[in-house]
């Protein structure tokens, strides 16, 4: 009997189905040959500092740095029940070996190994390494299980990465928080990612725009832009542009160059996770986290795409034989005509840009599986993301986009004009997106001018005349803020930010991994270091202040590059992990020392800030998910938080104004006949009856009469979290007491934390109590 350990329950259930396990128990599924159980992501984590010493329970600069000789693991309390299930299964006498079926990667290896370590398992272990969850992939994977010892170096690299993050993250976070009396966190990937955005914000604020001018001439059959001696269309001085505008009109010149070149644009590369997240953000407005979650469902639940958390944009040669079946799986989708055409007429297999065994490490590119697709089962977001993946897959299999480029250069009075026209000759891979009325997510070569057949009739050396000239004033643009798409690109290509050639190579995969970048962005937002403004990611005042105060080494990509290089060597068996950990401890001591010896103060400049009523520090404004404004004191020793809420307040009706009664007496004139008296009788029209009941109307229902509201709304301050300093003073709004009555040595007159806004009216209970009191007073008077 073999025990199969999956990373998630959903994956475990699929493995159990394929392995013919049907007997469901709590936390596992059993069959004749296999018992399938699962983790819940991580079941085990590195222990918190308090596990090493009671001194570490309290955050204090005196106890830093915290550098235990050896880090230990502990079971995560929230998932302890499932850990006990796995541990009990590992102890069963009929279990002769374990199959590690967690995600095939560095983190997946760590999930399984820590569980086995804490459970005390020392038996035989095999490794399942697959890239898709289809039945055929699972069956083939179990037929080719590998010895788990082959992945020992990968496990050591994963454990070293976790230890490095613990030593640096725990210590620098505590140092920043205690030294600056503010809740601040730092990390190897989080901080340099935040620094990318704060540096961009600094560039935007310091940007000084400049005007420039462009000039375009109309030659009748074509138009062309003026190019300066610097080979640019930008004219720096307005006077030069205006002078050319007045002197060139009507002047003759000649075509000095007319060249037509055949060009080809190759299909884009297949998707890895980061590239897919970029395109989903640009095309579908998905956040990186939303893309990963949706992609995970397409992989686990529907099994129609391959493994999501990949950093490769290529496939291995053994996947080529499966492409026909993957094309057949699209037979019931809008891509059916093109897939059928590929199956009948053949398709492109590019051994340079698609099939590259050496470019695939753990998993190949994200492509469709051979599972039949039922679009009716997909949600709108799931279908949109799936379509992006299939479009890119079919584009990779399509021929090049072919076009002709005609470049014309004319000279008039010593001024050079240039234009370029593009004529498509074969749409190639660009036709794929048109099948479903979509636009390709790939960067397309833009046509400079609409096609004009008259241009083809011109000859080199032909005479041309300037019919009219148009000058436009333009302005240089400030650097754009990061969106999730551009930030993912910057994180992926972080090697461009360092000068060392070796570090550039080690930073080939950038800051973080494809699997963690989405969570890093979300964590920065949750900690109020970054906020979303439309599609832009904007660092907050708190985030900018953190980057200013954090050690420079932690804010650069240099540290990550250095670590990733050494972690790669550990995974390849070229470096001892213990030496790496010793160097990490040394770096931790240096980083903590830099923070503690800093003479800076935490002083963020918040917009729309309030002053804390307890410590007089600035309070940061945060808008919650229902639109309420929260104001949070940034001093950790205070931590006061309040929010603005709308409260309904009864309106006291105004007393009716009674008009004075005016008595009018009519007297007959002398000599006139007495007036005839008339009796007027007013009859009230009865209200209509409905269902046997007499209908009635309220005063507010009278047509033409506007009803006055019985209540209004007022903004009231509500305390969310009291200040930690409030115990030093009596905060209840009561009359002063004697010194003997006041504990904690507070001898002054107490004031409330927040003055309660006055309200009108009262509750029904208040009115009933007032009525009873009035009756008692009346009875006393009668006595």
């Amino acid at each position: 009997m073999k025990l199969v350990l999956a990373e998630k329950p959903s994956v475990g259930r699929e493995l159990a189905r394929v392995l013919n396990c049907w007997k469901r128990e709590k936390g596992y599924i059993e069959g004749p040959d296999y018992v399938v159980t699962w983790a819940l992501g991580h079941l085990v984590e590195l222990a918190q500092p308090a596990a090493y010493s009671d001194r570490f329970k309290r955050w204090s600069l005196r106890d830093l740095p915290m550098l235990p000789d050896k880090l230990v693991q502990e079971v995560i309390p929230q998932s302890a029940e499932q850990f006990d299930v796995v541990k009990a299964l590992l102890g069963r006498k009929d279990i002769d070996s374990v199959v590690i079926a967690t995600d095939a990667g560095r983190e997946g290896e760590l999930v399984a190994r820590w569980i086995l370590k804490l459970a005390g398992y020392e038996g035989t272990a095999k490794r399942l390494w697959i890239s898709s969850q289809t039945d055929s992939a699972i069956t083939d994977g179990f037929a080719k299980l590998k010895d788990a010892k082959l992945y020992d170096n990968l496990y050591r690299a994963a454990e070293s990465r976790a230890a490095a993050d613990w030593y640096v993250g725990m210590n620098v976070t505590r140092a920043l928080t205690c030294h600056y009396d503010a809740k601040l966190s730092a990390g190897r990937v989080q901080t340099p990612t935040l620094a990318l955005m704060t540096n961009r914000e600094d560039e935007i604020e310091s940007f000084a725009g400049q005007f420039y001018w462009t000039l375009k001439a109309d030659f009748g059959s074509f138009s062309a832009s003026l190019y300066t001696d610097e080979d640019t269309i930008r004219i720096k001085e307005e006077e030069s542009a205006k002078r050319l505008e007045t002197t060139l009109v009507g002047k003759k010149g000649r075509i000095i160059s007319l060249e037509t070149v055949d060009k080809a644009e190759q299909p884009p590369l297949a998707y890895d996770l980061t590239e897919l997240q970029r395109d989903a953000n640009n095309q579908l407005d998905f956040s990186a986290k939303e893309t990963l979650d949706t992609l995970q469902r397409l992989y686990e639940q529907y099994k129609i795409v391959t493994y999501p958390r990949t950093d490769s944009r290529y496939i291995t040669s053994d996947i080529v034989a499966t492409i026909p079946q993957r094309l057949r799986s699209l037979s019931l989708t809008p891509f059916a005509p093109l897939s059928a055409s590929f199956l009948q007429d053949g398709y492109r297999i590019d051994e340079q840009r698609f099939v590259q065994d050496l470019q695939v490490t753990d998993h190949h590119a994200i492509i469709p599986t051979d599972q039949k697709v039922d679009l009716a089962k997909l949600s709108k977001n799931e279908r949109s993301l799936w379509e992006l993946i299939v479009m890119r897959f079919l584009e990779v299999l399509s021929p090049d986009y072919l076009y002709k480029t005609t470049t014309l250069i004319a000279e008039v009075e010593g001024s050079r004009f240039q234009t370029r026209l593009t004529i498509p000759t074969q749409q190639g891979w660009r036709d794929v997106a048109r099948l479903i009325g979509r636009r390709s997510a790939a960067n397309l070569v833009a046509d400079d001018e609409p096609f004009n057949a008259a241009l083809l009739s011109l000859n080199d050396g032909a005479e041309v005349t300037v019919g009219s000239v148009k000058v436009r004033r333009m302005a240089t643009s400030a650097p754009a803020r990061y969106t999730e798409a551009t930030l993912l690109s910057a994180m992926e290509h972080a090697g461009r930010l360092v000068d060392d050639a070796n570090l550039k190579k080690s930073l080939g995969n950038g800051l973080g991994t494809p699997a963690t970048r989405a969570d890093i962005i979300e964590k920065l937002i949750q900690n109020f270091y970054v906020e979303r403004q439309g599609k832009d990611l904007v660092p907050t005042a708190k985030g900018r202040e953190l980057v200013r105060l954090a050690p420079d080494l932690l804010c650069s990509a240099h540290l990550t590059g250095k670590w990733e290089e050494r972690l790669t060597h550990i995974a390849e068996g070229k470096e001892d992990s213990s030496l790496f950990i010793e160097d990490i401890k040394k770096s931790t001591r240096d980083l903590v020392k830099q923070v503690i010896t800093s003479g800076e103060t935490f002083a963020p400049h918040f917009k729309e800030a309030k002053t804390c009523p307890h410590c007089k520090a600035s309070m940061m404004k945060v808008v919650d998910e229902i639109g309420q404004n929260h104001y949070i004191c940034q001093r950790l020793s205070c931590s006061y938080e309040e929010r603005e809420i709308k409260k309904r307040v009864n309106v006291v009706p105004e007393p009716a104004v009674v008009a004075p009664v005016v008595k009018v007496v009519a007297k007959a004139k002398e000599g006139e006949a007495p007036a005839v008296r008339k009796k007027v009788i007013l009859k009230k029209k009865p209200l209509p009856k409905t269902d046997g009941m007499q209908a009635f109307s309220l005063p507010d229902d009278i047509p033409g009469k506007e009803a006055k509201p019985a209540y209004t709304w007022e903004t009231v301050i509500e305390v969310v979290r009291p200040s930690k300093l409030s115990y030093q003073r009596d905060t209840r709004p009561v009359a002063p007491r004697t010194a003997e009555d006041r504990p904690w040595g507070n001898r002054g007159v107490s004031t409330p934390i927040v003055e309660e806004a006055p309200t009108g009216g009262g509750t029904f209970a208040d009115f009933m109590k007032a009525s009873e009191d009035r009756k008692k007073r009346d009875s006393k008077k009668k006595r």
Side-chain angles (χ1 to χ4, degrees):
M1 183 77 77
K2 294 181 175 63
L3 177 66
V4 180
L5 177 59
E7 189 162 331
K8 298 176 182 177
S10 56
V11 177
R13 287 191 291 269
E14 289 303 314
L15 295 176
R17 182 182 59 80
V18 175
L19 297 173
N20 194 29
C21 301
W22 51 269
K23 186 180 179 182
R24 292 179 178 269
E25 301 289 350
K26 189 172 184 180
Y28 67 96
I29 306 174
E30 189 167 349
D33 300 316
Y34 295 93
V35 177
V36 179
T37 188
W38 47 79
L40 304 172
H42 278 280
L43 296 183
V44 178
E45 64 182 358
L46 288 175
Q48 294 298 309
Y52 302 97
S53 173
D54 289 339
R55 294 185 299 114
F56 297 157
K57 290 181 179 179
R58 184 178 180 86
W59 288 36
S60 173
L61 290 175
R62 294 191 303 271
D63 299 324
L64 299 180
M66 304 175 292
L67 301 174
D69 293 334
K70 189 175 182 180
L71 296 179
V72 297
Q73 296 80 32
E74 63 182 7
V75 178
I76 301 173
Q78 294 85 344
S79 53
E81 185 177 2
Q82 182 60 22
F83 175 82
D84 291 339
V85 170
V86 177
K87 184 177 180 180
L89 291 172
L90 288 168
R92 277 177 39 171
K93 294 182 179 180
D94 59 336
I95 298 295
D96 53 31
S97 65
V98 170
V99 177
I100 299 174
T102 50
D103 284 354
R106 190 167 71 182
E107 288 306 305
E109 195 69 25
L110 189 66
V111 168
R113 295 297 188 100
W114 275 357
I115 293 173
L116 298 180
K117 181 180 179 180
L118 255 66
Y121 180 78
E122 297 179 352
T124 304
K126 298 291 184 179
R127 191 59 164 100
L128 175 70
W129 199 273
I130 57 177
S131 292
S132 65
Q133 293 288 317
T134 61
D135 292 7
S136 58
I138 294 171
T139 303
D140 187 55
F142 271 90
K144 300 176 181 178
L145 292 175
K146 301 178 181 179
D147 192 335
K149 292 181 179 179
L150 296 175
Y151 299 92
D152 283 351
N153 288 331
L154 183 65
Y155 164 55
R156 293 188 187 101
E159 194 169 41
S160 298
R161 192 276 314 156
D165 285 348
W166 192 98
Y167 283 123
V168 173
M170 288 287 187
N171 282 283
V172 177
T173 293
R174 287 198 177 194
L176 288 167
T177 298
C178 295
H179 184 66
Y180 296 109
D181 191 18
K183 188 177 180 181
L184 301 173
S185 61
R188 172 179 62 96
V189 178
Q190 171 188 312
T191 308
T193 301
L194 178 60
L196 289 175
M197 289 178 276
T198 59
N199 292 339
R200 177 61 58 85
E201 201 69 15
D202 291 340
E203 293 173 6
I204 294 172
E205 291 182 355
S206 61
F207 176 78
Q210 293 181 338
F211 290 117
Y212 66 91
W213 290 260
T214 63
L215 186 149
K216 198 167 191 177
D218 185 1
F219 291 91
S221 59
F222 66 94
S223 59
S225 297
L226 175 74
Y227 277 72
T228 66
D229 294 338
E230 290 83 15
D231 199 28
T232 176
I233 63 172
R234 295 185 179 186
I235 305 172
K236 297 179 181 179
E237 299 176 355
E238 184 179 12
E239 293 180 1
S240 299
K242 294 295 184 183
R243 178 175 53 79
L244 290 170
E245 182 181 21
T246 56
T247 58
L248 287 174
V249 176
K251 293 294 191 296
K252 296 184 181 297
R254 291 189 178 278
I255 297 174
I256 61 174
S257 175
L258 184 62
E259 183 181 13
T260 299
V261 179
D262 291 327
K263 292 189 175 182
E265 184 182 355
Q266 293 182 314
L269 297 177
Y271 277 129
D272 62 0
L273 176 58
T274 302
E275 183 70 15
L276 180 59
Q277 288 172 320
R278 264 199 302 265
D279 284 352
N281 182 250
N282 288 328
Q283 298 273 320
L284 309 174
D285 287 336
F286 285 8
S287 69
K289 179 68 172 172
E290 186 178 4
T291 300
L292 180 56
D293 291 344
T294 305
L295 187 60
Q296 199 72 29
R297 291 196 299 274
L298 295 176
Y299 168 68
E300 291 182 359
Q301 182 177 343
Y302 302 106
K303 307 179 197 177
I304 54 178
V305 299
T306 56
Y307 185 76
R309 301 167 187 260
T310 177
D311 59 357
S312 177
R313 303 185 69 179
Y314 302 88
I315 64 171
T316 51
S317 53
D318 60 314
I319 302 296
V320 175
T322 68
I323 291 178
Q325 188 59 35
R326 297 173 196 267
L327 291 171
R328 292 187 188 97
S329 70
L330 306 176
S331 59
L332 301 178
T333 72
F335 299 103
L338 183 58
S339 62
S341 172
F342 282 165
L343 288 169
Q344 181 177 348
D345 304 328
Y347 46 84
R348 172 190 189 138
I349 296 296
D350 194 330
E351 295 185 355
Q352 296 297 322
R353 296 173 54 82
F354 190 36
V355 184
Q356 280 278 358
D357 289 345
L358 297 179
Q359 296 288 348
V360 180
T361 52
D362 296 337
H363 299 281
H364 58 67
I366 302 171
I367 60 175
T369 66
D370 57 6
Q371 186 83 11
K372 285 283 186 182
V373 180
D374 185 357
L375 295 178
K377 294 182 179 179
L378 304 183
S379 68
K380 179 181 177 181
N381 286 355
E382 290 166 346
R383 175 167 178 167
S384 297
L385 191 66
W386 173 82
E387 286 177 348
L388 277 183
I389 297 168
V390 176
M391 277 197 299
R392 179 57 57 88
F393 174 64
L394 296 176
E395 286 172 347
V396 171
L397 299 178
S398 300
D400 291 349
Y401 164 65
L402 303 179
Y403 61 98
K404 292 179 180 290
T405 295
T406 299
T407 303
L408 180 149
I409 301 176
E411 189 175 278
V412 180
E413 297 285 322
S415 298
R416 182 166 61 94
F417 292 86
Q418 182 174 319
T419 188
R420 185 172 63 217
L421 304 183
T422 299
I423 306 170
T425 57
Q426 176 183 292
Q427 290 295 333
W429 60 268
R430 286 194 178 190
D431 265 337
V432 176
R434 293 191 179 96
L435 282 176
I436 57 171
R438 291 278 291 273
R439 178 177 174 273
S440 175
N443 292 324
L444 304 180
V445 174
D447 299 342
D448 294 271
E449 296 283 351
F451 172 67
N452 188 346
L455 185 69
L456 302 180
S457 63
L458 298 173
N459 297 314
D460 194 357
E463 187 178 85
V464 292
T465 303
V466 178
S468 62
V469 172
K470 185 175 182 180
V471 173
R472 295 182 63 187
R473 189 179 76 166
M474 312 288 285
T476 54
S477 301
R481 282 177 170 146
Y482 282 110
T483 63
E484 291 206 33
T486 56
L487 181 61
L488 287 168
S489 296
M491 295 174 71
E492 183 181 26
H493 303 294
R496 299 170 183 171
L497 306 176
V498 299
D499 298 325
D500 188 280
N502 291 328
L503 290 183
K504 280 183 181 290
K505 184 178 179 181
S506 63
L507 273 169
N509 291 328
L511 292 170
T513 66
T516 60
R517 287 176 190 141
D519 289 332
I520 290 166
I521 295 173
E522 292 299 321
K523 186 176 181 180
L524 289 171
I525 294 172
Q526 291 168 6
N527 287 337
F528 307 119
Y529 297 143
V530 176
E531 62 184 6
R532 286 191 177 98
Q533 292 184 7
K535 293 186 70 171
D536 292 339
L537 296 174
V538 184
T540 63
K542 182 178 181 180
R544 299 179 73 173
E545 191 70 356
L546 171 60
V547 172
R548 186 180 73 87
L549 299 175
D552 292 339
L553 182 61
L554 200 60
C555 294
S556 72
H558 183 274
L559 185 67
T560 292
K562 189 175 180 180
W563 283 8
E564 287 298 333
E565 181 182 38
R566 299 185 67 180
L567 289 172
T568 301
H569 291 164
I570 294 172
E572 295 171 351
K574 298 178 181 178
E575 182 172 345
D576 188 350
S577 60
S578 61
L579 296 177
F580 173 74
I581 295 300
E582 286 304 316
D583 288 344
I584 289 298
K585 291 181 179 180
K586 182 179 180 300
S587 297
T588 300
R589 292 188 188 96
D590 295 339
L591 291 171
V592 170
K593 183 178 179 180
Q594 288 182 45
V595 173
I596 293 177
T597 57
S598 171
E600 299 287 345
T601 58
F602 180 71
H605 302 287
F606 295 118
K607 295 180 180 179
E608 302 180 80
K610 280 187 176 183
T611 300
C612 177
H614 298 276
C615 66
K616 307 305 178 186
S618 294
M619 300 173 68
M620 182 172 66
K621 178 183 177 181
V622 176
V623 182
D624 64 18
E625 62 276 3
I626 60 174
Q628 292 181 335
N629 294 331
H630 289 238
Y631 292 90
I632 307 170
C633 179
Q634 294 303 292
R635 283 188 61 184
L636 190 65
S637 57
C638 179
S639 298
Y640 172 70
E641 180 181 350
E642 65 183 30
R643 68 179 173 186
E644 296 177 346
I645 62 173
K646 297 289 185 180
K647 185 175 181 180
R648 196 172 79 169
V649 179
N650 294 326
V651 175
V652 179
E654 298 178 0
V657 179
V658 181
V661 179
V662 180
K663 187 176 182 180
V664 179
V665 179
K667 294 183 178 181
K669 292 183 179 180
E670 294 182 0
E672 288 185 358
V676 179
R677 294 184 178 181
K678 296 182 179 179
K679 186 177 182 181
V680 179
I681 299 176
L682 298 176
K683 291 186 177 180
K684 198 170 185 179
K685 185 178 180 181
L687 294 171
K689 294 184 178 181
T690 56
D691 297 333
M693 295 182 65
Q694 181 72 32
F696 66 93
S697 64
L698 296 173
D700 290 351
D701 298 330
I702 299 175
K705 183 176 181 179
E706 185 178 352
K708 292 185 178 181
Y711 58 85
T712 186
W713 295 95
E714 290 185 0
T715 300
V716 179
I717 301 300
E718 180 179 86
V719 177
V720 177
R721 182 171 54 239
S723 170
K724 296 178 183 177
L725 306 174
S726 61
Y727 73 92
Q728 297 176 358
R729 62 180 71 91
D730 184 6
T731 59
R732 290 169 294 177
V734 296
R737 299 175 294 179
T738 62
E740 289 74 15
D741 294 332
R742 286 192 288 270
W744 307 302
N746 183 7
R747 308 299 183 186
V749 178
S750 60
T751 56
I753 296 177
V754 178
E755 294 183 1
E756 193 171 324
T759 59
T763 64
F764 182 72
D766 294 335
F767 291 123
M768 291 297 296
K769 184 176 184 302
S771 177
E772 293 295 329
D773 292 342
R774 186 170 57 254
K775 289 178 180 179
K776 290 179 181 179
R777 290 196 301 270
D778 293 342
S779 63
K780 288 180 180 178
K781 290 179 181 179
K782 291 179 181 178
R783 293 195 189 109

